[in-house]
Amino acid sequence: MSQQEEHINALLQQCKKGKQSAQLEIYNRYYKAMYNTAYRIVKHSSEAEDIMQESFLSAFTKLYTYKGEVAFGAWLKRIVINNSIQQYRKQLKNNEVALEGIMHKVEDDDGIAVDNGTTEQKAQKVMLAIKQLKDNYRISLTLHLIEGYDYEEVSEIMNISYANCRTIISRAKENLRKKLTPTYL
């Protein structure tokens, strides 16, 4: 076990005893990654922040269920992903559609098309294309490519079969390729 893992385990033991300084240190180590994970699923900053906060509260109150079979960060990330997907499904039921999901500007404020030359701009183009995918494609692709979950883990998280998971991710990749490939007539 590495020194970092030992330190985290010591902090977790202190958290179980209710020590707030240990909870704050755990929070400070993981909050950025957990926020980013939530944001990629719900696509709204304030909701991602709420989900992150609720996930930390849930993790600290249910810390006794953490068995140490996986890294604490992975256990916490699973909580964040589950809460994010649950929130996203609530949004769908309420027919809340983010304005950014509907409107996309191709040009900047001056009306001049943006050059797609830099790596950062290409990455933004890919992220924009991912946001335009169907929900199940976007979520499965985010979990697999960005969060690094394998097919089995994605199928468990999304509550679908392994074969269906592979099919969805394959189709999502194909749709993403189509969105990123310029069409020539």
Side-chain angles (χ1 to χ4, degrees):
M1 184 180 293
S2 73
Q3 273 188 319
Q4 185 177 6
E5 289 172 340
E6 287 177 17
H7 182 65
I8 289 172
N9 286 338
L11 287 172
L12 293 174
Q13 291 305 317
Q14 292 174 0
C15 288
K16 287 180 182 179
K17 295 175 184 173
K19 190 168 183 187
Q20 290 183 348
S21 62
Q23 290 176 341
L24 181 61
E25 190 170 338
I26 291 287
Y27 176 85
N28 286 334
R29 283 179 182 256
Y30 292 101
Y31 80 93
K32 288 179 187 173
M34 298 307 130
Y35 168 82
N36 289 334
T37 298
Y39 182 78
R40 283 191 286 268
I41 294 173
V42 297
K43 299 187 290 186
H44 193 270
S45 181
S46 63
E47 287 180 24
E49 205 169 295
D50 288 345
I51 289 166
M52 179 207 45
Q53 297 288 343
E54 290 170 18
S55 297
F56 271 103
L57 286 173
S58 178
F60 287 138
T61 57
K62 297 182 180 182
L63 199 53
Y64 64 90
T65 64
Y66 174 64
K67 306 290 187 226
E69 296 168 351
V70 296
F72 176 75
W75 182 76
L76 181 59
K77 185 181 275 190
R78 177 60 63 105
I79 293 171
V80 171
I81 288 171
N82 289 342
N83 288 345
S84 299
I85 290 173
Q86 183 179 11
Q87 178 62 30
Y88 187 76
R89 288 180 179 153
K90 283 181 188 175
Q91 287 176 348
L92 290 179
K93 282 184 181 179
N94 295 334
N95 291 327
E96 295 176 7
V97 179
L99 185 59
E100 69 184 3
I102 298 171
M103 299 181 66
H104 297 286
K105 269 184 135 180
V106 178
E107 299 175 315
D108 65 13
D109 293 336
D110 297 326
I112 302 167
V114 176
D115 177 28
N116 293 328
T118 69
T119 303
E120 184 177 320
Q121 288 171 332
K122 289 177 184 176
Q124 288 175 347
K125 187 175 179 182
V126 170
M127 293 307 290
L128 179 64
I130 288 174
K131 284 182 179 181
Q132 294 173 344
L133 293 173
K134 286 178 17 179
D135 295 335
N136 61 337
Y137 287 1
R138 180 181 53 77
I139 291 170
S140 63
L141 214 54
T142 297
L143 292 172
H144 183 63
L145 296 178
I146 297 173
E147 298 300 331
Y149 287 104
D150 63 25
Y151 292 117
E152 190 173 313
E153 292 169 323
V154 173
S155 66
E156 286 177 25
I157 291 168
M158 295 184 68
N159 199 24
I160 56 177
S161 72
Y162 180 82
N164 192 14
C165 176
R166 288 185 62 100
T167 301
I168 288 172
I169 290 174
S170 174
R171 289 178 181 168
K173 287 178 182 177
E174 183 59 33
N175 276 325
L176 184 60
R177 275 188 213 100
K178 287 179 183 175
K179 287 188 182 302
L180 294 172
T181 304
T183 54
Y184 299 100
L185 298 176

